[in-house]
Amino acid sequence: MERNAEKEKRYLRERSRRYIVGCAVLACVLITGVFLFFEAKEKTEEIEKSFVINKYLQNRDYLIYGANENSPPVRFVDTDGVYKGVVVDYMSLLALELGVEIRTEPYKWEDALQNLREGKTDICDMYINDERARDYVFTDPIYNLRTGLIAMADTAFTFDDINTMCIATERGDYANYYMEKNFPDAELRYVGNVEEGIGLLIEEEVDAVIGDEPLLSYYMAQLEGEAEFRIINVALYEEPVVLAMPKDHAQLIPIMNQAIQKIKSQGSLEKIQQKWFGISTPLILVEPERKYLRIVFFGTLIAAAVIGIVSINNSSLKKLVRMRTAELEDSRNELQMIFDNIPEYILILDENQKIVNANKGILQHAGLSIGQCIGKPVSILEEKFQGKELEQAMNASFGRSGERQKFKNGRDIYELQAYPVDGKERGTLLTLRNVTLDEINRKQVLQSSKMMAIGELAAGMAHQIRNPLSIIRMHTYMLRESENLNEEDCRSLTYIDENVQKAGRIIDNVMNFWHISGNQIEHVKLRRCINSILGLYENPMKKKSIRVEVRCDEAMSFFCNEESLKHILMNLVANAVDAMDYGGSLFLSGDRKGQEVVITCQDNGCGISEENMENLFNPFFTTKDPGKGTGLGLFVVYSEVEKLSGKISVESREGRGTCFTILLPNREEA
Ligand code: ADP
Ligand code: MG
C-alpha cells in the first residue's frame, strides 16, 4: 500500500511536470501567434492606407496643411519668410507616417478656416466646437493646449474680474466661442492675431489678451525688457487640439488616427516640443505610449497564461488526486470485501497480540462487531471458542510460519495457521478453518478401505468354507442312506444338516453383502437386499430374542445403487437392534408409492429424546458407551440418502420406539 502511494505520487509529479511543459509550449505558440497576428494586421493596414490615400488624392500626390500664419511657436511665418513651428514639424512626421507629401501653407486664421471649409486645403489643427463640427471632421487629439489671459504686470486683474474686462481676442479663434459662452459680460476686442492684441495691451487699450499659453509665453519672452507681462491666474481652459479635415475627407480619418497614434507611441512630438520650448512642456496630452502598452499587454497575457496554466494544472491535479483517491478507496473496499468473504476465519494481530482486523466470518462466529474486537486481546473470542484450546494453539503456532495446529473445540475440529506480517507495523495473520467435515471424510475413507479389506478377506474365507460345508452335507446324506442308524444318530444328522445350512446362509449373506457393484445404478431386488442385511444380524437378534417382520413383495425391484442401499439398511438395523432390549420386535417394509419407493425400519426400542433428535444426523453424535458407538452411522445414512436423491425422516417416542422412513426415487425407467 505504502509503495503504491509512493508510486502514485511519483506518477502525479511526472504527470504535472509534463503538463507544465506542454502548457508552456502551448503558451509560446499562442504568444507567437498573437505577435504574428499583429504583424500581419499592421501590414494589411499599411496596404489599405496607401490604397485609400491614393484613391482620395486622385491626380494629386500631396496633401495641403493650411493654418494660422502668426501663432508662434505653434505655427508662424518667421522673419525669414519660412512657415515653421510645432505643428509644421508635426506635419513632416505625419507625412512620413502617411507616406504622402504634406505641403504647409500659412493663412490668416479666418482664411485658414474658410479654405479648409471650401476644400482648398486638406488639414488644419484646431479645438473642436459645435460650429466647427458642422463644417469639418476631426481626428483624435494630437496634443492638449491650455488657453490663458495675459495682462500687464502692473495690473491687479484676477480670474474673477474677467466679466468686467476688455479683452483682445483673435478673430475666428475658439476663445471667442468660449468667452461668449462662459463670460458673456466681458468686452471682446477682435484682432487679427495675438501679436496685434499684445500691441493694444501695451497701449492700454485692452485690459488683457487671450491666447494659447505657448503663444503667450513666446511673446512674453520676445518682448522681455520692452514691457512686462503676467499671465492671469490659472488657465481658462485646456482643450485637446485635433486635426480637422473637410467633411468629404471622412474616409481619411481612420488612417490619420493611426498615424497620430504611431507618432505618439514613438515620442516624436515630445522631441519637437523640446526643439521649440527647450523643455518637455505639458503641451502634449501625456498618454501611455503604445509600445509600453503592448509590453504591458503581452506581459499581462503571459502572466494570465501562466496563472491560467497553473490553476488549470492545479485543478486538474486536484481532480486526478480525487480520482486516484476514489480508485484507492474502491480497491480498499474490494480488498476488505474479499477479506470478509473468505470462508476461513482471519485475524490480524499486532506485535502485542492485540486484534488489528478480523474478517466477517470470525466476527459472526464470535457474535461480535469489529469495533468490539479492535485493540482487544484474542481472549475476547474465547467465550465462543469455549476453553483455552484456541490460545494454546495460537501460542504454539507463533513463530512457525504456516505450520498447521489442530485443536478440538466442542464438536468441531479447527486448524490454525499463523503467518508473520512484515509491513510498516509488524504483526501476525492468523487463519482458522473448521475442518470437521474434512476429518470425517478422512476417517470414512480410512474406515471404508478397512472394511473393504475385511470384506474381501471375509468373502475369500466364505468361499473357502463353502467346500468343506458341501463335503459335510454330502457325507451326512451318505450316512442317512445307511440302514443301521438309530433314532439318536438320525437326530444328530438332522442337527448337523441344520447347522451346515445355517453356515451356508451366513456365507451367502457375507458373499452378497460384499458383492462389489461400483457406483452405477443397477436393478436391485429390495426383498433380497433386506434379507441379506438381516442375515448379518441374525445372531445378535437371536440373542435378544428379537422378532423380525418383513413386509416386501419378493418381486419388488427398482433401479438404485445397491451398495448405498445396503449401507443405509445396515446402519438402520444395527441401531434398531442396539435400541431394543430382550423380546423386541423389528418391522421392515418396502413398497411403491407413486414414483417413489418407501422403505421403513421400525423398532419398539428405547426411542430418541427430543433434544437428541436435533443432533441425530450430526457426525460423532452418539449416546452409546465409548467403544460401542462412533456417531457416524446416521451421518452415513443421511449422506447416502442424499446421494441417491432421496429423503429421510424419523419419528420416535421415548420408551416406545422409533421409525425411520426413507423415500427413494423410483428409477425403474432409467
Ligand atoms: P452410533 O450408533 O455409533 O451411536 P449413529 O449415528 O448410528 O451412531 O446413531 C446416533 C445415535 O442416535 C445413537 O447413539 C442413538 O442414541 C440414536 N439412535 C439411532 N438410531 C436409534 C434407534 N433406532 N432407536 C433409538 N436411538 C437411536
Ligand atoms: Mg449406529
Side-chain angles (χ1 to χ4, degrees):
M1 280 299 228
E2 278 283 301
R3 210 166 301 144
N4 275 353
E6 189 53 44
K7 260 194 206 162
E8 185 79 8
K9 263 193 219 158
R10 210 175 317 133
Y11 166 76
L12 285 178
R13 264 205 301 273
E14 184 59 30
R15 205 191 128 107
S16 71
R17 204 174 301 141
R18 255 186 271 148
Y19 194 81
I20 287 173
V21 170
C23 288
V25 170
L26 206 76
C28 287
V29 170
L30 197 84
I31 290 163
T32 318
V34 172
F35 263 115
L36 288 176
F37 170 75
F38 274 105
E39 229 30 60
K41 193 168 164 252
E42 244 165 62
K43 279 260 157 62
T44 320
E45 280 169 2
E46 202 71 40
I47 294 165
E48 240 176 45
K49 184 171 72 184
S50 62
F51 176 76
V52 173
I53 292 173
N54 288 340
K55 194 174 162 211
Y56 168 73
L57 291 174
Q58 284 173 350
N59 40 22
R60 268 195 293 154
D61 57 358
Y62 58 86
L63 288 165
I64 303 168
Y65 165 79
N68 201 344
E69 60 182 4
N70 197 13
S71 70
V74 181
R75 48 279 205 253
F76 65 103
V77 179
D78 207 357
T79 43
D80 52 8
V82 178
Y83 193 33
K84 47 175 88 157
V86 176
V87 183
V88 178
D89 282 356
Y90 188 85
M91 284 304 130
S92 316
L93 290 177
L94 195 63
L96 274 177
E97 277 307 321
L98 292 175
V100 66
E101 186 194 342
I102 299 178
R103 293 185 181 173
T104 56
E105 292 178 1
Y107 297 106
K108 284 218 173 322
W109 185 230
E110 265 181 316
D111 296 342
L113 293 176
Q114 183 63 31
N115 287 342
L116 187 70
R117 206 173 296 128
E118 289 169 3
K120 286 182 188 159
T121 59
D122 301 299
I123 311 167
C124 181
D125 57 314
M126 61 181 72
Y127 294 126
I128 301 171
N129 66 24
D130 295 345
E131 195 186 319
R132 288 173 182 174
R134 277 198 291 274
D135 300 327
Y136 316 115
V137 284
F138 305 105
T139 66
D140 293 340
I142 53 172
Y143 55 82
N144 272 9
L145 201 59
R146 284 202 296 253
T147 300
L149 284 169
I150 189 174
M152 294 311 289
D154 50 4
T155 58
F157 294 115
T158 67
F159 194 77
D160 301 329
D161 302 322
I162 293 176
N163 266 329
T164 64
M165 284 162 69
C166 174
I167 300 167
T169 173
E170 192 175 343
R171 217 165 284 122
D173 194 46
Y174 174 83
N176 305 338
Y177 168 81
Y178 174 83
M179 291 301 287
E180 280 159 20
K181 208 168 160 204
N182 296 289
F183 302 100
D185 297 335
E187 189 188 328
L188 296 179
R189 275 285 290 276
Y190 297 102
V191 288
N193 53 44
V194 172
E195 195 181 4
E196 198 184 318
I198 289 179
L200 291 178
L201 182 66
I202 295 170
E203 287 159 24
E204 294 184 0
E205 289 200 25
V206 292
D207 301 322
V209 181
I210 200 162
D212 299 337
E213 268 184 5
L215 196 68
L216 298 179
S217 320
Y218 178 82
Y219 284 119
M220 277 167 78
Q222 290 279 312
L223 299 171
E224 208 177 350
E226 289 174 40
E228 256 183 70
F229 305 100
R230 70 183 177 85
I231 288 178
I232 297 174
N233 289 347
V234 284
L236 278 182
Y237 54 87
E238 181 175 326
E239 290 285 337
V241 175
V242 297
L243 293 180
M245 300 189 88
K247 274 245 152 131
D248 57 347
H249 286 30
Q251 72 267 44
L252 280 183
I253 294 295
I255 295 167
M256 297 292 277
N257 281 342
Q258 269 178 31
I260 289 166
Q261 217 43 53
K262 206 136 192 212
I263 292 167
K264 261 186 201 165
S265 72
Q266 288 159 357
S268 307
L269 184 56
E270 237 175 297
K271 285 181 196 134
I272 296 171
Q273 257 188 106
Q274 276 165 3
K275 172 183 158 190
W276 289 100
F277 301 105
I279 45 145
S280 176
T281 69
L283 182 71
I284 297 157
L285 175 70
V286 183
E287 269 185 39
E289 288 190 32
R290 223 174 131 173
K291 192 169 76 190
Y292 297 125
L293 266 183
R294 206 178 272 190
I295 290 169
V296 170
F297 172 72
F298 283 120
T300 319
L301 197 75
I302 291 168
V306 169
I307 292 169
I309 288 163
V310 169
S311 62
I312 288 171
N313 189 38
N314 271 355
S315 75
S316 95
L317 265 181
K318 271 184 204 159
K319 210 165 136 195
L320 203 69
V321 168
R322 269 202 301 274
M323 249 163 60
R324 293 280 177 260
T325 315
E327 271 172 28
L328 279 177
E329 191 69 22
D330 280 354
S331 71
R332 207 188 79 94
N333 289 345
E334 216 169 279
L335 280 177
Q336 185 66 41
M337 202 179 75
I338 294 169
F339 180 70
D340 279 340
N341 287 303
I342 290 175
E344 292 179 10
Y345 301 159
I346 304 179
L347 271 180
I348 300 173
L349 308 179
D350 64 11
E351 271 180 310
N352 305 319
Q353 302 192 4
K354 298 266 167 60
I355 298 171
V356 176
N357 204 350
N359 78 340
K360 240 183 210 157
I362 195 160
L363 291 174
Q364 275 171 2
H365 181 75
L368 295 169
S369 72
I370 183 78
Q372 288 172 303
C373 291
I374 285 180
K376 304 276 163 52
V378 184
S379 55
I380 192 164
L381 304 170
E382 260 160 23
E383 203 176 309
K384 189 71 194 180
F385 282 96
Q386 303 155 355
K388 297 269 172 209
E389 292 99 337
L390 174 65
E391 208 175 335
Q392 282 163 6
M394 250 173 47
N395 291 336
S397 58
F398 277 134
R400 296 180 193 175
S401 177
E403 199 177 288
R404 291 160 195 229
Q405 299 288 333
K406 267 189 200 161
F407 67 93
K408 203 156 180 249
N409 191 268
R411 248 178 269 132
D412 292 323
I413 301 167
Y414 290 92
E415 188 180 84
L416 184 124
Q417 278 174 289
Y419 303 90
V421 180
D422 289 327
K424 196 173 70 180
E425 283 160 24
R426 296 173 65 81
T428 312
L429 183 132
L430 287 180
T431 66
L432 201 63
R433 205 156 66 91
N434 189 325
V435 290
T436 319
L437 270 183
D438 294 359
E439 279 296 290
I440 291 163
N441 286 341
R442 201 177 60 82
K443 277 187 186 163
Q444 255 191 312
V445 168
L446 207 70
Q447 180 78 359
S448 64
S449 64
K450 247 198 254 172
M451 297 284 270
M452 190 80 80
I454 295 170
E456 273 173 26
L457 196 72
M461 276 165 61
H463 188 69
Q464 293 204 337
I465 292 169
R466 258 186 186 164
N467 288 341
L469 281 181
S470 51
I471 291 169
I472 296 171
R473 207 178 289 136
M474 196 180 77
H475 283 274
T476 53
Y477 179 77
M478 279 161 59
L479 279 175
R480 265 185 214 280
E481 295 302 305
S482 102
E483 286 170 5
N484 43 2
L485 284 179
N486 58 29
E487 214 173 301
E488 205 165 319
D489 293 340
C490 280
R491 236 186 296 132
S492 288
L493 282 177
T494 310
Y495 194 64
I496 292 170
D497 273 346
E498 269 175 22
N499 280 285
V500 167
Q501 251 180 19
K502 192 176 159 195
R505 270 205 312 276
I506 292 171
I507 286 164
D508 279 352
N509 274 337
V510 172
M511 296 282 280
N512 267 351
F513 188 78
W514 292 112
H515 167 70
I516 294 159
S517 59
N519 264 344
Q520 76 259 52
I521 306 294
E522 58 204 312
H523 201 231
V524 175
K525 288 209 162 184
L526 184 58
R527 179 70 194 238
R528 215 187 65 186
C529 196
I530 292 173
N531 284 344
S532 75
I533 299 297
L534 288 175
L536 285 175
Y537 290 90
E538 208 176 284
N539 210 31
M541 286 199 286
K542 201 164 188 186
K543 265 191 196 161
K544 286 191 174 179
S545 184
I546 289 169
R547 199 176 59 82
V548 184
E549 191 189 332
V550 179
R551 198 179 300 156
C552 179
D553 195 352
E554 287 281 352
M556 154 121 187
S557 66
F558 69 111
F559 281 87
C560 177
N561 183 304
E562 193 171 358
E563 223 177 310
S564 291
L565 191 61
K566 279 179 180 171
H567 264 88
I568 294 166
L569 292 173
M570 192 176 78
N571 280 300
L572 292 182
V573 172
N575 284 343
V577 172
D578 285 348
M580 287 184 288
D581 287 331
Y582 194 81
S585 65
L586 174 66
F587 173 72
L588 285 160
S589 79
D591 205 355
R592 281 181 203 285
K593 190 178 175 195
Q595 290 295 305
E596 287 170 319
V597 173
V598 189
I599 300 167
T600 61
C601 174
Q602 193 175 352
D603 63 66
N604 60 354
C606 61
I608 305 163
S609 71
E610 248 179 61
E611 59 176 84
N612 287 349
M613 271 297 207
E614 278 177 27
N615 302 313
L616 214 56
F617 296 103
N618 283 352
F620 306 118
F621 173 73
T622 181
T623 56
K624 295 170 191 170
D625 294 336
K628 282 201 170 164
T630 58
L632 287 174
L634 286 182
F635 176 73
V636 169
V637 168
Y638 189 85
S639 316
E640 293 299 313
V641 169
E642 285 267 288
K643 224 189 314 181
L644 296 175
S645 316
K647 282 181 192 131
I648 182 162
S649 60
V650 56
E651 276 173 64
S652 184
R653 283 178 70 185
E654 243 183 314
R656 302 288 287 272
T658 307
C659 177
F660 284 91
T661 306
I662 291 164
L663 291 174
L664 294 176
N666 182 2
R667 291 182 157 173
E668 211 160 17
E669 302 83 27

